[in-house]
Amino acid sequence: MEDAEFEPVAIDPAFPTLEELLDTVADKADGLVCDHRLSHAANAPFTGAQVVAASNRRRVPAVLITGYADLDEQTSIRRYRSSIPCMLRKRFEPAEIELALARAHREQLVGPAPERVGHRTVVRVLRVDRIGAEPIVEVIVVAWDPVDAVILPADMITSCVAMAEDELPGKRFMARVNIHARSSEELFFEDFEVAPEVPGSWLPKL
């Protein structure tokens, strides 16, 4: 942080609630840089993605740092990605912190950049699988990429619609997605609902 010419203030994340932690952050700092896996260094009852997302919603610019992006970006980070304008992988350059905080601050002041704007679009579930103990779904967002599947936690859908995990494959949903995202790790998904059925007249006759 000193290399980026910031004055660092270390805050132990082991607060009983997220709100108490954020109250302390807002009182002591103008911005927040937070590791995702807080349980490695402290007994925190939340992840860094939760902290960063909530901090940005409170208009304290925040950036997420992770050394496990390939494992976490599709699950524990994806849940909160709509409120995380910028995520840095470890081994970044000091100047990247300043740029990331500026990006978060700009979004709070003037709204999201085009690649961070959500649009209502169709999301089709290909299959249900698991990453460790967590059920995940592979989905196609045709408006973003008609071929490459994207992974997200299954409960991001099931918490919004009255369906069990095993009912999801083959189903189409409407969701708010930032379809102009530059990479799959930047995609966010919100407000799932069951898509209307395709009219029979649109389907080819066998």
Side-chain angles (χ1 to χ4, degrees):
M1 292 293 287
E2 292 93 337
D3 290 341
E5 299 186 357
F6 289 108
E7 181 182 344
V9 178
I11 298 175
D12 186 340
F15 283 75
T17 69
L18 183 53
E19 287 304 312
E20 289 176 85
L21 170 58
L22 293 176
D23 287 343
T24 300
V25 170
D27 184 56
K28 294 185 176 183
D30 296 320
L32 172 68
V33 177
C34 186
D35 193 24
H36 177 58
R37 294 196 176 188
L38 297 176
S39 59
H40 283 189
N43 187 24
F46 27 72
T47 66
Q50 289 175 273
V51 175
V52 169
S55 181
N56 282 313
R57 288 193 294 268
R58 284 182 54 154
R59 304 181 71 82
V60 176
V63 174
L64 184 66
I65 307 293
T66 181
Y68 302 90
D70 293 337
L71 294 174
D72 296 331
E73 70 186 22
Q74 301 167 332
T75 53
S76 55
I77 293 175
R78 182 82 75 196
R79 282 192 175 87
Y80 306 98
R81 200 62 170 90
S82 63
S83 297
I84 302 175
C86 197
M87 180 180 74
L88 297 178
R89 296 170 184 254
K90 287 185 176 176
R91 300 181 183 269
F92 51 83
E93 295 298 322
E96 293 182 74
I97 296 179
E98 182 177 4
L99 291 173
L101 285 169
R103 184 177 171 187
H105 190 219
R106 181 189 182 282
E107 184 163 310
Q108 293 164 12
L109 291 177
V110 300
E115 66 271 16
R116 290 271 306 153
V117 175
H119 299 272
R120 207 76 181 148
T121 191
V122 176
V123 176
R124 178 167 58 91
V125 177
L126 297 179
R127 68 190 188 102
V128 177
D129 204 341
R130 288 184 178 271
I131 294 181
E134 178 162 28
I136 56 96
V137 289
E138 290 186 7
V139 304
I140 289 289
V141 185
V142 174
W144 181 73
D145 189 310
V147 176
D148 287 342
V150 180
I151 292 174
L152 59 146
D155 64 8
M156 289 184 69
I157 301 177
T158 57
S159 64
C160 295
V161 302
M163 285 187 184
E165 293 160 14
D166 58 2
E167 297 178 274
L168 298 179
K171 296 291 193 300
R172 288 175 170 81
F173 300 89
M174 301 300 296
R176 199 168 70 89
V177 185
N178 55 328
I179 57 174
H180 299 299
R182 294 167 294 190
S183 66
S184 62
E185 78 174 29
E186 296 181 358
L187 285 171
F188 64 72
F189 296 79
E190 295 183 311
D191 305 327
F192 280 92
E193 63 182 10
V194 178
E197 292 289 335
V198 177
S201 60
W202 293 9
L203 301 175
K205 296 189 184 205
L206 299 178

